């Protein structure tokens, strides 16, 4: 994915739009900085300092510019930002997806719609064969989000990632892209 400049599309779902981060979205990053999990597993700062939150937004733009991946703000139908979702290459034919929703905006179907929307677009990228999510077994909400978007739980990765200094197991969820599904089984 890193051999061509990336262009961030705007993607429309049923309840959300995925678009570029803007400086005016800073309050959501500040809210996320107080979350128990988000700053531990993302680059959201642990402080609600405005400059640190704006730097987070700048980093999302840089991911695209450097070819590191696609980072989207998740906005509701009034264009208010409610969360974040990103698609990042792992090797040349796989990509992993990560997401979070601000605590005040949860349980409204935003994560499920954002993941379904991003997956549907990413499934059309011919250079990708496989989309992956890593989810802690205790993260029931994220497991449901993954399953609602058609991801299959393939197994448990023991001590896959250290979070807050402790090794954590992760479920590997995955689905094949349209391109890989079409080619699967051909000799
Ligand atoms: C996990 C998270 C993304 C869910 O976002 P959300 O917008 O609240 O999820 P949705 O409203 O789209 O819910 C999708 C489904 O999960 C269920 N769900 C959501 N949160 C849940 C929770 N804490 N416990 C149990 N079920 C939950 C919903 O009821 C819904 O179920 P349904 O399919 O039966 O309708 C959000 O809680 C979050 O950002 N958490 C912190 C960061 C994080 O965990 N990111 C994912 C890392 S893998």
């Amino acid at each position: 994915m890193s051999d061509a400049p990336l262009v961030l599309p705007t993607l429309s779902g049923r309840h959300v739009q995925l678009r570029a981060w803007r400086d005016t979205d800073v309050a959501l990053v500040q809210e996320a900085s107080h979350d128990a999990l988000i700053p531990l597993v993302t680059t959201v700062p642990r402080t609600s300092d405005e400059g640190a939150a704006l730097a987070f937004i700048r980093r999302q733009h840089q991911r695209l510019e450097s070819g590191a991946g696609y980072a989207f703000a998740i906005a509701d139908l009034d264009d208010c930002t409610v969360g974040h979702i990103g698609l990042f290459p792992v090797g040349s034919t796989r990509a992993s997806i990560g997401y979070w929703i601000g605590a005040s905006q949860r349980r409204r179907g935003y994560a499920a719609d954002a993941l379904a929307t991003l997956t549907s677009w990413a499934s059309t990228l011919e250079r990708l064969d496989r989309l992956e999510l890593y989810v802690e077994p205790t993260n029931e909400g994220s497991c449901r989000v993954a399953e609602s978007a058609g991801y299959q739980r393939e197994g448990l990765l023991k001590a896959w990632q250290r979070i807050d200094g402790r090794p954590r197991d992760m479920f590997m969820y995955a689905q094949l892209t349209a391109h890989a599904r079409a080619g699967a089984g051909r000799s």
Side-chain angles (χ1 to χ4, degrees), residues 35 37-38 99-102 105-113 134-136 139-142 144-145 148:
D35 190 81
L37 180 62
I38 295 171
Y99 45 81
W100 54 260
I101 300 292
Q105 304 296 325
R106 290 178 189 163
R107 308 296 287 254
R108 300 178 189 189
Y110 290 144
D113 192 31
Y134 303 90
V135 183
E136 273 194 90
N139 195 338
E140 190 183 337
S142 193
R144 290 183 71 117
V145 167
S148 76

Side-chain angles (χ1 to χ4, degrees), residues 38-62:
I38 295 171
L40 294 177
V41 294
T42 72
T43 62
V44 168
R46 285 171 192 248
T47 161
S48 57
D49 172 72
E50 189 180 58
L54 286 168
F56 168 86
I57 291 173
R58 272 196 299 280
R59 284 197 294 279
Q60 307 320 303
H61 298 154
Q62 284 161 3

Side-chain angles (χ1 to χ4, degrees), residues 27-128:
L28 185 79
V29 183
Q30 291 172 301
E31 177 184 343
S33 72
H34 299 297
D35 190 81
L37 180 62
I38 295 171
L40 294 177
V41 294
T42 72
T43 62
V44 168
R46 285 171 192 248
T47 161
S48 57
D49 172 72
E50 189 180 58
L54 286 168
F56 168 86
I57 291 173
R58 272 196 299 280
R59 284 197 294 279
Q60 307 320 303
H61 298 154
Q62 284 161 3
R63 288 178 199 283
L64 191 77
E65 289 154 14
S66 67
Y70 301 86
F72 296 87
I74 305 170
D76 67 13
L77 296 181
D78 294 323
D79 204 24
C80 293
T81 314
V82 299
H84 175 263
I85 190 161
L87 176 85
F88 302 102
V90 183
S92 56
T93 57
R94 294 180 285 128
S96 75
I97 294 177
Y99 45 81
W100 54 260
I101 300 292
S104 64
Q105 304 296 325
R106 290 178 189 163
R107 308 296 287 254
R108 300 178 189 189
Y110 290 144
D113 192 31
L115 181 61
T117 303
L118 182 63
T119 299
S120 156
W121 171 73
S123 283
T124 66
L125 298 176
E126 291 222 340
R127 56 191 175 266
L128 291 180

